[in-house]
Amino acid sequence: MSKRSSGQKQDTRLAHAGREPTQQHGFVNTPIYRGSTVLFPTVKCLEESAQPFTYGRLGTPTVEALQDALAELEGGYRTLLTPSGLSAIATTLLALLSAGDHVLVSDSVYRPTRRFCDKVLKRLGIRTTYYDPLVGASIAQLIEDNTRVVFTESPGSQTFEVQDIPAIVAAAHARNVLVVLDNTWATPLFFKPFAHGADISIQAATKYIVGHADAMLGAITTSEATWAPIAEAHDEFGLCPGPDDTYLGLRGLRSLSARLERHQRSALQVAEWLGKRPEVARVIYPALPSDPGHALWKRDFTGASGLFAIVLKPVSKPALAAMLDGLSLFGMGYSWGGFESLILPFDPRTYRTATTWQAEGPALRLHVGLEDFGDLRADLEAGFGRLSAAS
Ligand SMILES: Cc1ncc(COP(=O)(O)O)c(C=O)c1O
């Protein structure tokens, strides 16, 4: 593992964490190591596994570099990479839960996380209860004798409810229940999971860590106490990220702070502009003072990324399609966190169970990319023009 430095600021660590040029012939970046077989010089070394790398699936210097950097930035004990964000979530839940256990999952969780609970965990005899993401300390009332994990995601997928993580952690830890956080929206730069008491933090590194929409990657960062079961499951499931994707994660990480600063600035500009549009009923973005989660966000987060939602006033489906189909800069597609702007209609009424989504009209999720704000505004403005014309 590479050295950590406690005295340096986060931006400095972003540039230097997980990097040892002296071990790479002076080259600045840890290169892409490809490989399965790793040779041992002697029988003794083989029998004792007495070298840092033993088999490709169990890690390479490229993988270790990104793991070390992420563990340091999240403020956790150690990190393990997986081939996707969803595999990080699935591995964590399977590592911590057994037949007969109960898990509490936020109703605002990423939808495939929910599907995993409803299908795989259910089949294994593990029961899931979905809770209102705004539950706070009242999570205590939902904890049962066999509850092992509270799964959180803050802000929540699509609807961006900010969860009171310290209050949930206090109630969970009082009953020896672990708290897992999907920290993808904030990244380790804008929310420090372990400083707020979480036991495990998950990143869909596919998003802002990679940052360029060109790779799939997940990361599980643990506390010291939760390291053993996660490491064991990760090993037993045979998970290993691809070498190129890992390298792209490392490369993306170096510019994460600079990119997020810009995503945040432009997202605020777009959100404020949208808030004044007559077609928009409300904007859901915790960084806006008008957002119901703003006070909690201000207390616990140090920034906001470029992903938020708007609710439109009632409008016909063809009018909405006319707006979205003609956009030239905002692309329609899944994922987010890349350099490019995205827009996606969504409707939580179709799958949420613990809360009721009430909206004036259709909802849209926007990812504000690194393009010029004026150009993005013009693209949306033209879209509203088409929407009005088709209404
Ligand atoms: C909040 C959140 N968590 C996890 C994931 C899953 O990540 P991946 O697509 O890398 O599996 C996503 C993907 O959109 C996400 O938005």
Side-chain angles (χ1 to χ4, degrees):
M1 274 199 281
S2 64
K3 297 186 294 283
R4 289 195 190 187
S5 172
S6 51
Q8 295 169 347
K9 295 280 188 294
Q10 184 162 261
D11 282 356
T12 307
R13 296 312 301 153
L14 262 184
H16 291 271
R19 220 158 53 75
E20 291 293 349
T22 52
Q23 291 173 15
Q24 310 299 341
H25 310 282
F27 282 92
V28 167
N29 289 291
T30 309
I32 301 175
Y33 280 81
R34 303 179 190 281
S36 50
T37 303
V38 181
L39 300 178
F40 297 82
T42 62
V43 172
K44 185 172 184 299
C45 182
L46 177 79
E47 284 177 356
E48 294 172 2
S49 265
Q51 59 186 31
F53 301 99
T54 55
Y55 184 49
R57 197 184 65 228
L58 304 176
T60 67
T62 321
V63 169
E64 189 183 76
L66 183 53
Q67 290 182 163
D68 285 358
L70 286 175
E72 180 177 339
L73 292 163
E74 295 257 23
Y77 174 60
R78 289 180 72 174
T79 298
L80 284 165
L81 295 180
T82 65
S84 68
L86 185 58
S87 62
I89 292 165
T91 303
T92 300
L93 290 171
L94 286 177
L96 302 178
L97 296 162
S98 304
D101 286 348
H102 175 235
V103 56
L104 287 164
V105 177
S106 173
D107 207 28
S108 59
V109 84
Y110 175 59
R111 198 172 171 186
T113 303
R114 187 181 193 103
R115 206 173 53 214
F116 181 80
C117 295
D118 293 344
K119 290 191 169 180
V120 181
L121 294 188
K122 187 171 178 209
R123 180 161 52 75
L124 298 174
I126 298 158
R127 192 163 51 85
T128 302
T129 301
Y130 294 99
Y131 65 86
D132 182 340
L134 303 179
V135 69
S138 304
I139 193 87
Q141 288 152 30
L142 301 175
I143 295 175
E144 302 176 23
D145 288 345
N146 59 344
T147 308
R148 301 281 170 258
V149 171
V150 178
F151 194 97
T152 62
E153 184 186 317
S154 184
S157 271
Q158 299 187 325
T159 45
F160 302 95
E161 296 91 343
V162 181
Q163 296 200 255
D164 191 339
I165 300 296
I168 290 172
V169 164
H173 286 181
R175 300 278 300 274
N176 279 329
V177 174
L178 297 172
V179 176
V180 176
L181 169 69
D182 183 331
N183 195 29
T184 304
W185 182 87
T187 83
L189 298 201
F190 288 163
F191 186 83
K192 295 294 180 192
F194 297 92
H196 290 88
D199 299 287
I200 290 178
S201 175
I202 288 165
Q203 282 292 326
T206 307
K207 319 297 173 195
Y208 284 116
I209 309 276
V210 165
H212 295 72
D214 53 3
M216 302 293 302
L217 209 58
I220 312 169
T221 302
T222 75
S223 61
E224 195 165 354
T226 53
W227 168 251
I230 298 295
E232 196 176 286
H234 186 271
D235 187 5
E236 277 156 9
F237 294 151
L239 295 171
C240 50
D244 295 85
D245 286 1
T246 305
Y247 183 83
L248 290 171
L250 260 176
R251 189 157 93 156
L253 189 74
R254 304 297 174 205
S255 62
L256 180 63
S257 177
R259 284 186 286 110
L260 278 179
E261 207 175 294
R262 174 67 171 271
H263 281 295
Q264 172 167 238
R265 177 156 47 92
S266 297
L268 260 172
Q269 286 177 305
V270 173
E272 278 165 3
W273 177 78
L274 284 167
K276 295 187 198 123
R277 290 292 310 190
E279 301 87 351
V280 175
R282 59 194 159 99
V283 180
I284 311 171
Y285 187 37
L288 288 181
S290 57
D291 189 275
H294 183 70
L296 266 187
W297 171 79
K298 218 171 159 182
R299 187 192 72 183
D300 293 346
F301 291 69
T302 53
S305 59
L307 192 75
F308 65 92
I310 58 172
V311 177
L312 296 175
K313 290 180 183 160
V315 63
S316 72
K317 222 173 161 183
L320 180 65
M323 174 187 177
L324 299 183
D325 291 354
L327 292 172
S328 62
L329 297 179
F330 282 86
M332 239 185 311
Y334 298 107
S335 203
W336 44 279
F339 52 81
E340 80 289 18
S341 289
L342 296 166
I343 196 161
L344 202 65
F346 67 90
D347 184 0
R349 283 177 308 181
T350 54
Y351 56 92
R352 295 220 176 153
T353 53
T355 52
T356 310
W357 169 245
Q358 278 167 338
E360 298 81 343
L364 300 172
R365 188 186 74 179
L366 285 90
H367 179 250
V368 176
L370 303 178
E371 302 94 331
D372 176 78
F373 163 63
D375 288 340
L376 291 178
R377 183 182 52 195
D379 198 27
L380 291 171
E381 199 158 26
F384 283 131
R386 288 189 299 277
L387 181 137
S388 299
S391 291

